[in-house]
Amino acid sequence: MPTFRFAPSPNGPLHLGHAYSALLTWRLAERLGGRVLLRIEDIDKARTREAFVEQIYADLAWLGLDWPRPVRRQSQHLADYARAARRLEELGVLYRCYASRGEIARAVAAASGGKGPQAPRDPDGAPLYPGRGRVLSAEEEARRRAAGAAFALRLDMAEALRVARERASQPLGFESFDEDGAVSFVRARPERWGDVVVVRKDVPTSYHLSVVVDDALQGVSHVTRGRDLLAATDVHCLLQVLLGLPTPRYHHHRLIRDDQGQKLSKSKGAQSLAALRKVGAAPTYCPA
Ligand code: GLU
């Protein structure tokens, strides 16, 4: 059965962008005779609030949506992500990174002649990690290792691409489906992310790793999510090949924007569904 999923992070209230994404996901699943799983992406302990989890359930129910129980909560499955990270380590595509974000940003700015804003960035806009051994000296790294300092695990992108090429005969990419069901192949370019973090320093996994593991474990065949995650799909395809997992089909939908043309975001205080509910708004879907 076609299996879709809706995977919010409970770090703020859902807004109209989430409502659009959820309604579209359930609608496309219904059209294909499929189902939608709800997954709570709560690996980020510092930002997760239980009240937001409850609000997600209430908001989706208000939209008239239903989902199978139990709901998978990522925080309860850290062992699954650890297993996947071990497999990647065995492939020799991960390495330890002790550098802090500030140290990376300073190293990147210095390497680009102090032109901070023009320095290379990843598709999320963060300074692009310049590569193994380019931020901390070997001595400093050894010192931190000996002191038992916390570290992230980064993907050695060049090596990961080499291993992936060995494992997959087709070019790296994914099938993209549109609202009318037409499918096209999209070539992935994960190299634009550089040596991306696969296991964070503060959390024993990352968004990329957990999403890939969960989509496979939950038998997700269709992923519907916003265009802001289109570039992330390149990393996901690569991890899927490395881990021997299937690549689902993806639909990256348009983003709902505010009056200034900015995409709605929790961090910028977009009006929440809970607030709309309170003022008596009707949860009706109006296709664009
Ligand atoms: N948890 C992510 C978010 O709320 C979505 C993950 C995904 O759809 O892959 O933005």
Side-chain angles (χ1 to χ4, degrees), residues 142-165:
R143 198 190 62 73
R144 292 191 195 183
R145 186 184 275 256
F151 56 86
L153 288 173
R154 286 185 180 272
L155 195 65
D156 179 336
M157 186 55 78
E159 181 61 8
L161 287 170
R162 196 192 61 73
V163 174
R165 268 195 299 274

Side-chain angles (χ1 to χ4, degrees), residues 41-117:
E41 303 214 318
D42 57 351
I43 54 167
D44 200 331
K45 264 206 208 133
R47 296 172 65 210
T48 290
R49 297 277 174 278
E50 242 359 82
F52 292 134
V53 177
E54 292 308 317
Q55 227 180 78
I56 288 169
Y57 298 148
D59 288 340
L60 295 178
W62 176 66
L63 290 169
L65 304 173
D66 199 10
W67 55 91
R69 275 70 164 179
V71 167
R72 184 172 172 95
R73 291 189 58 158
Q74 292 187 324
S75 59
Q76 295 168 355
H77 299 278
L78 297 180
D80 291 334
Y81 315 132
R83 213 169 302 124
R86 266 199 305 280
R87 237 177 295 150
L88 293 172
E89 277 193 296
E90 283 159 17
L91 287 177
V93 296
L94 297 187
Y95 66 88
R96 292 180 181 197
C97 173
Y98 289 93
S100 69
R101 254 188 227 177
E103 287 166 336
I104 296 167
R106 280 192 294 280
V108 169
S112 59
K115 296 187 227 106

